[in-house]
Each structure stands twice: as C-alpha cells, then as structure tokens.
Amino acid sequence: MMTKQLSNRELELRVKYLEKKLGYLVAGSEQSSFWSMDHRFRILAEAAHEGIFILEDGYCVEANLSGCDMFGYTYEEIIGRSAASVFISEHRDLVREKIVSGDSGVYEAIGLRKDGSVFHAEVRGRNFDYEGRDYRVSTVTDITFRRNAEQKLIESENKYRSVVENAADGLLIGDGEGKIIDVNGSFLKMTGYKADDLLFSHISKLFDPEELKERPLRFDLLDLGESVIIQREIIDKSGVPIPIEMNSKRTSKDNYLAVVRDLRERIKAEENLRSVNRQLKEAKNKAEESDRLKSAFLANMSHEIRTPMNGVLGFAELLKSTELNSATREAYLDIIIQSGQQLLCIINDVLAISKIETGQMPVQFSRVDLLSIFEEIRLFFVPVANERNNKLSFSVCDEQICHSFECDETKIRQVLINLINNGLKFTQNGHVKFGVYREKEWMHFYVEDNGIGISANNLERIFYRFVQVSRGYNNNPKGTGLGLPISQKLVEMMGGMMHVDSEPAKGSVFHFLLPLR
Ligand code: ADP
C-alpha cells in the first residue's frame, strides 16, 4: 500500500497539538500513553461536525456521533457496517476502490441514509497501522448545502447569461471607471466588434471623439443614481455611425449597465410611415383633384355639347323655312355639319379615354412610312393653320428607318394630330414645326410652336385629365382637356414617353420618344 501510515508517536503528538488548541491540555500529559488518552480522542471526535469513522477491512469499527447522525444510524447499527453500504450503489465501487488503494485524497460521493434519503458527501481517508493491523480513518462532511448553494449560483449565473445573451438590445456592463467588463452578443452583432475588441476598453471608444467633446457622457448623473437616456450615434467597427438610444444606470458602486437600442430599423420604419402618409396624402389629393376635375368636366361638357347641339337643332329648325335661298341653305347646312363634327370630336375623346382606362384599346404594330403620314397630316391642317396665319412645316430624318418604322399607326397619327392641333390653336402669326429624328435606340418626335406657351407651374398639370390652363384665341378653347392625357397614354402604350418644354409668350415644344423595335 502506498499510503503514509502514522506511527503511534506521530498520532500522540498530533492529539497533543489538538488538545492544546482546544484548551484541553493537562499538565504532565506528555507522559500519557496513546490509549490513556482515549477519552481525549473521544472528546475531539465528538466535537467535530464531520463524521469520523475508523474502518478495518472496509468495515466500520468506530464512529463518532456526527457520523452516526449524518447517516441516520445508531452507534450500534453503524459498527460492523461496510463503509460502501452507506453510499448509493453507483458510488460503492468508488468508495471500495479508495479504501483498498489507501488513497488519501478528497473525493465526493452521494451518501445514503438509513431512511433512504441521500446527501452530497465529501470524503477523505487516511490509512494507519496499529499493532500490525491496517486501519483507515475516514472523515465525511455533508456538503449538500454548499453544493446546493454552488448549484444555485451556477443557475443564477446561467439565468443572468441567458437574459444578457438573449436580450434583443445591446447590453454593456462597465466597471466604476467606465471600462467595459461585459458585453452581449446583440451589441457585438450591432457594431461588428468582437468581445476582445471591447473588453477592458473605456466606453468612450464607441463614440466620435469630437461628438464626445460637445456632448460628454454623463457619469456625473449616473453617480447621483440617475438613469440617463440619450439618443446619439455610436461608431461601429468599420467606422460607420449607428443611431442608438442608450439607457444607462449605475447598478452598484463598481458597476453600471447600459442598454443600447439600435434605432436604424425604427428610423427606417418612421421614414416608411412618413412616405406612406405622403403617398396617401398625394393619392387623396389626386382623388379630390380628379373628383373636382370630373365635376368641372361635366359642367364643361354640358356647355361644350350644348353649343354645337344648339347649332344643329337651331339651324335645322331654320332650314324648315321654305323661303331660304340656296346660298343661305348651304351656309346653314355647313354650320350643322361643323357642329356635328365638334360633337363627334367630344364624344371620340371621351370614348378614347374610357377605352384606354378599361384596357379596350390594343396596340397593333406595323411598318409605316413616317414621311407619307407627316405629309398627309400637314395637308389636313393647312386650312386650320391659315385661319390664324400660321406656317406649318415638318422634317423627317432621311434614314431608312423613317420609311419603315414599326409602330401603331392609328395611335401615332392621333398623338401628332392632338399636338399639332394644340400648337395651331395656341399660336397666331407664327409657326408650328413637327418632325422626327433618331436618338440612339429611340425615335424622337417633336411638335414645336412659338405661341402663347405654358407657365412652369402648369407644365405637369396639363397632362391631367380635363385640365385646360389657357383658352385659345377668341377665348374659344374648342377642346375637352383630354387631348394631352390621351396622347401621353397612347405614347406609353407603345413603350414610349412624353414631356414638354415651354416658356410663356415664347412657345412650346412637345416631345415624345418611341423605342426602335
Ligand atoms: P384641349 O382639348 O383643351 O386642348 P389638351 O389636353 O390637349 O386639351 O390640352 C390641355 C391644355 O394644355 C390646353 O387647354 C392648354 O391650356 C394647354 N396646352 C396644350 N398645348 C398647348 C400649346 N401648344 N401651347 C399652349 N398651351 C397648350
């Protein structure tokens, strides 16, 4: 056996030492023999809180009262009992092994009381030899309370860790001087730092030094026990500022806690909300404007329809008279025809816009010769141009593409007619020029006049339905306010876009671009 066995003399010296410590030393005890001090051993053993057992061959031959109580046996019951039997079955081999090997180290095992209850035991043993026989003294301490306290400490530490780690907000714990001593995962994720980058650095590392000069951290308020909530920016690992809200409090003399909330999402959500509100407001304004325009349109429409209708009915009535000469009859018929055409025009525009809006106007592409379309339109408008002494001309790029351009012919005619008609309507003693040229992958069409022009604040509005911002010459708008919105829609249906440049009293240029297919 490898254990150090105590000689009788050594044991005797130890007992004396203990007696001295306990104040039991009796004069002349140096002369006492080992067994004459039996009662002193007993006193010592009984005074101990630990259970003390003397074992021989693994069986108990002596025990103190604490040992009996600890395992719930009487002195008589414990004497002769195997040491392994007072531990749970899973730990008996361990106990036996320690006894057999004479191991003097400390170990833990679960003690088993007579009533079947269990406790955490800390065991230490030492072998000694007495009169040639091998004995072992074992002391057993009930460490259940300590173990439970340790367990509770571990559980509370784990609970704290899990709260800290699972917190959605960043958490920083600082020492009394403002050095970071703990940081959670959320904060590291938010800032891109590693824990080692921050631990034991001063918290000011997280802020822009210039900013700190202007707005220092309020340790003075924290020292007064105040909670300090601030909104500012911290600088992340890559130097990018992050808007945050930081709620700090001194939690003890040596610690403070800072809860750091990333405000980026909140700011984004607020911006989104503001933008949605803006859009809603715009949509509401548009709806109100459209409603207002519709009412204005209806009022305008009834006026517009009534004028030509009166012309038709009035002159038809006059035609009934038999006393009319043929020239007058002819003139009346012309008025009826013109009024009819005006009515048709209005009805066509209303139909066109409703067809576009209900998707009943398909796009039909074909190859067309722009030169011949332009010439036809020019001829058609010559009488109108002459009415107000305007010159009408056009130019077409001489590229092959102009002679074989793929587009929806009806729609392109309609758009050109609307724009040229407007140009002539709002110009006097001037010119209207129209044409097309190639611009990269687009065909760029334009209709230019040097008429009354349009003020900047109306440039967008004229593309709204039913909007008329100026009346034509002779105060006669001869229109519905639908020509431009229809034209813009038709261009968009062909994959293009339309815009206008204009200056009051100088004239306007309407542009529309169609893609080369
Ligand atoms: P309208 O049938 O009234 O001409 P449009 O939608 O074609 O309807 O035009 C809307 C308004 O835009 C016109 O009433 C006019 O005020 C303005 N406008 C259009 N073209 C011109 C132009 N070439 N010069 C000046 N104003 C124009």
Side-chain angles (χ1 to χ4, degrees), residues 370-430:
L370 292 175
L371 183 70
S372 53
I373 292 178
F374 281 24
E375 181 55 20
E376 270 174 43
I377 292 177
R378 192 190 69 81
L379 283 174
F380 174 78
F381 275 113
V382 168
V384 185
N386 291 340
E387 268 175 35
R388 266 187 293 280
N389 196 28
N390 287 321
K391 283 198 180 82
L392 180 65
S393 60
F394 72 85
S395 74
V396 175
C397 59
D398 54 6
E399 281 187 57
Q400 177 58 29
I401 198 89
C402 287
H403 300 291
S404 175
F405 177 58
E406 203 178 322
C407 64
D408 184 321
E409 187 177 347
T410 322
K411 292 188 176 54
I412 210 164
R413 273 178 192 276
Q414 179 72 58
V415 175
L416 284 168
I417 287 170
N418 283 351
L419 297 181
I420 296 166
N421 191 31
N422 278 348
L424 293 170
K425 199 158 68 179
F426 297 104
T427 307
Q428 189 152 271
N429 302 322

Side-chain angles (χ1 to χ4, degrees), residues 311 315-316 318-319 324-339:
F315 284 93
L318 287 176
L319 274 179
L324 297 174
N325 63 31
S326 66
T328 316
R329 195 174 286 270
E330 190 87 357
Y332 287 179
L333 279 172
D334 276 350
I335 292 171
I336 291 174
I337 290 167
Q338 268 175 26
S339 303

Side-chain angles (χ1 to χ4, degrees), residues 349 418-419 422-423 425-427 449 451-454 462 464 467-471 477-485 502 508 510:
D349 272 0
N418 283 351
L419 297 181
N422 278 348
K425 199 158 68 179
F426 297 104
T427 307
D449 66 64
I452 61 168
I454 304 156
I462 54 169
Y464 297 169
V467 169
Q468 294 179 306
V469 295
S470 52
R471 303 179 82 77
K478 268 202 189 150
T480 55
L482 288 173
L484 286 179
S502 185
S508 316
F510 284 82

Side-chain angles (χ1 to χ4, degrees), residues 231-456:
Q231 283 195 2
R232 59 197 304 165
E233 283 175 344
I234 50 171
I235 311 297
D236 79 359
K237 171 127 197 210
S238 53
V240 175
I242 303 173
I244 51 117
E245 183 179 84
M246 187 161 89
N247 186 344
S248 320
K249 185 154 179 63
R250 197 166 276 276
T251 47
S252 71
K253 194 169 120 322
D254 298 323
N255 286 120
Y256 70 81
L257 170 72
V259 182
V260 182
R261 181 159 294 174
D262 188 339
L263 294 184
R264 282 175 296 191
E265 286 300 312
R266 195 208 282 179
I267 290 173
K268 222 200 262 169
E270 281 169 3
E271 269 166 16
N272 280 349
L273 195 70
R274 268 198 295 276
S275 137
V276 168
N277 279 344
R278 247 194 326 269
Q279 284 170 14
L280 281 176
K281 208 166 168 190
E282 273 168 24
K284 182 174 165 270
N285 287 347
K286 257 193 187 156
E288 281 172 3
E289 170 82 346
S290 154
D291 200 41
R292 200 182 57 71
L293 290 172
K294 258 189 190 147
S295 311
F297 168 74
L298 283 177
N300 193 31
M301 220 30 18
S302 45
H303 172 77
E304 294 299 327
I305 291 172
R306 196 178 296 142
T307 315
M309 194 57 96
N310 282 341
V312 172
L313 294 176
F315 284 93
E317 192 68 35
L318 287 176
L319 274 179
K320 275 190 187 166
S321 160
T322 48
E323 289 149 29
L324 297 174
N325 63 31
S326 66
T328 316
R329 195 174 286 270
E330 190 87 357
Y332 287 179
L333 279 172
D334 276 350
I335 292 171
I336 291 174
I337 290 167
Q338 268 175 26
S339 303
Q341 277 167 348
Q342 171 76 7
L343 273 176
L344 193 63
C345 209
I346 294 168
I347 289 162
N348 280 346
D349 272 0
V350 175
L351 272 180
I353 201 107
S354 85
K355 269 189 182 170
I356 291 170
E357 284 188 351
T358 52
Q360 290 172 34
M361 196 183 270
V363 185
Q364 281 163 344
F365 286 101
S366 64
R367 293 200 171 273
V368 297
D369 181 5
L370 292 175
L371 183 70
S372 53
I373 292 178
F374 281 24
E375 181 55 20
E376 270 174 43
I377 292 177
R378 192 190 69 81
L379 283 174
F380 174 78
F381 275 113
V382 168
V384 185
N386 291 340
E387 268 175 35
R388 266 187 293 280
N389 196 28
N390 287 321
K391 283 198 180 82
L392 180 65
S393 60
F394 72 85
S395 74
V396 175
C397 59
D398 54 6
E399 281 187 57
Q400 177 58 29
I401 198 89
C402 287
H403 300 291
S404 175
F405 177 58
E406 203 178 322
C407 64
D408 184 321
E409 187 177 347
T410 322
K411 292 188 176 54
I412 210 164
R413 273 178 192 276
Q414 179 72 58
V415 175
L416 284 168
I417 287 170
N418 283 351
L419 297 181
I420 296 166
N421 191 31
N422 278 348
L424 293 170
K425 199 158 68 179
F426 297 104
T427 307
Q428 189 152 271
N429 302 322
H431 68 252
V432 173
K433 295 177 187 168
F434 63 102
V436 64
Y437 55 91
R438 183 175 177 172
E439 197 177 304
K440 292 182 184 159
E441 295 308 301
W442 300 88
M443 287 299 266
H444 188 143
F445 295 78
Y446 62 90
V447 178
E448 180 190 322
D449 66 64
N450 58 350
I452 61 168
I454 304 156
S455 63

